[in-house]
Amino acid sequence: MTDSLLVDRTDAVVTLTLNRPEAMNSFTVELKEALRDTLAALESDRSCRAIVLTGAGGAFCGGQDLREHAALLQAGSTDLNTVQVHYNPIAQRLANMPKPVIAAVHGMAAGAGASLALLADFRIGGPATKFLMAFANVGLAGDSGISWSLPRIVGHAKAVELLLLAKPVKAEEAARIGMLTELLDDDAKVLPAAQELAARLAAGPTVAYGAIKRELSIATAGTLSDALAAEAQAQAICGATADHQAAVSAFLNKQKPEYQGR
């Protein structure tokens, strides 16, 4: 494991901290590989029932480390295979994670950092939070799922504006257009609030949460028939879980259910 990604476990919540504060937690190959591989491991880790993604210091993530990128360009490398090798797998893992993902977005989330934050199920920010679709500023197209997530959150026309003009979106505007799920009045509260939400979700019916996420993904891209088929499959799975049985029993006995995530 690398020091550029910190992994902290508190009960069923795993907090992943991008840990390059001296460089706004920008992505080097080392950090990308660590995040990609850790997310892959957490996907099948039944002891992890919710994930918090955050950054160390004053920023969430500045996107690609341009110093490392410039060195590769100077060495004659123009093939951006990092998108296929690193960013795409990270984006897929975040979007399809069968458990809740909460992004604690304090400070700047730029480029791929913004892309990955927008793939989280919940995004909590504070007064210093900013999003910047920085790709066009360095002559690149969007990546890390931004062309998929951004228009679904803000609409097609607004996504075109944010990607082509590449102007920062401050916290209040981000909350207004849906880029933030919750805006707090103090940046110091962002990570604790994200972890509190993660703990609440981790104590819930996480199999059902994962099924709901999958339903929504299929329905967004498919037809009504696709959605109905996905719902039927999901209910067959969830209906057979111990969590569903516990919830029904608790309801009948006027008790609060205790979920096990199975």
Side-chain angles (χ1 to χ4, degrees), residues 25-228:
N25 303 311
S26 57
F27 283 114
T28 58
V29 169
E30 180 182 60
L31 178 53
K32 286 180 283 192
E33 291 181 345
L35 181 59
R36 178 196 63 193
D37 297 346
T38 301
L39 288 171
L42 291 176
E43 185 173 316
S44 58
D45 182 351
R46 294 186 63 178
S47 69
C48 168
R49 298 180 61 190
I51 297 170
V52 174
L53 180 63
T54 192
F60 177 75
C61 177
Q64 172 65 39
D65 187 314
L66 291 180
R67 292 183 182 276
E68 182 182 76
H69 180 63
L72 292 172
L73 290 177
Q74 290 170 2
S77 173
T78 57
D79 181 11
L80 293 178
N81 70 337
T82 188
V83 173
Q84 291 290 341
V85 174
H86 303 119
Y87 287 123
N88 284 359
I90 293 170
Q92 288 278 7
R93 296 290 183 188
L94 284 173
N96 299 323
M97 185 64 63
K99 54 199 78 178
V101 179
I102 301 94
V105 190
H106 57 84
M108 176 63 79
S115 300
L116 299 181
L118 294 177
L119 290 172
D121 301 307
F122 301 89
R123 294 164 299 281
I124 298 176
T129 297
K130 291 182 182 180
F131 291 90
L132 176 61
M133 311 307 129
F135 305 99
N137 284 344
V138 290
L140 291 175
D143 63 34
S144 306
I146 195 67
S147 64
W148 184 88
S149 63
L150 188 61
R152 282 166 170 77
I153 294 171
V154 305
H156 178 85
K158 190 66 175 179
V160 171
E161 175 190 335
L162 295 179
L163 283 163
L164 269 61
L165 298 182
K167 295 190 299 185
V169 182
K170 295 183 179 180
E172 289 188 2
E173 174 71 359
R176 186 183 71 81
I177 63 178
M179 296 174 75
L180 284 177
T181 310
E182 183 178 2
L183 175 59
L184 304 178
D185 60 5
D186 184 348
D187 293 308
K189 297 178 181 177
V190 171
L191 180 57
Q195 291 174 323
E196 181 179 348
L197 176 58
R200 171 187 164 189
L201 291 165
T206 47
V207 175
Y209 293 157
I212 290 168
K213 289 175 63 172
R214 184 172 181 274
E215 285 178 340
L216 291 171
S217 179
I218 291 171
T220 299
T223 64
L224 174 59
S225 294
D226 295 330
L228 293 174

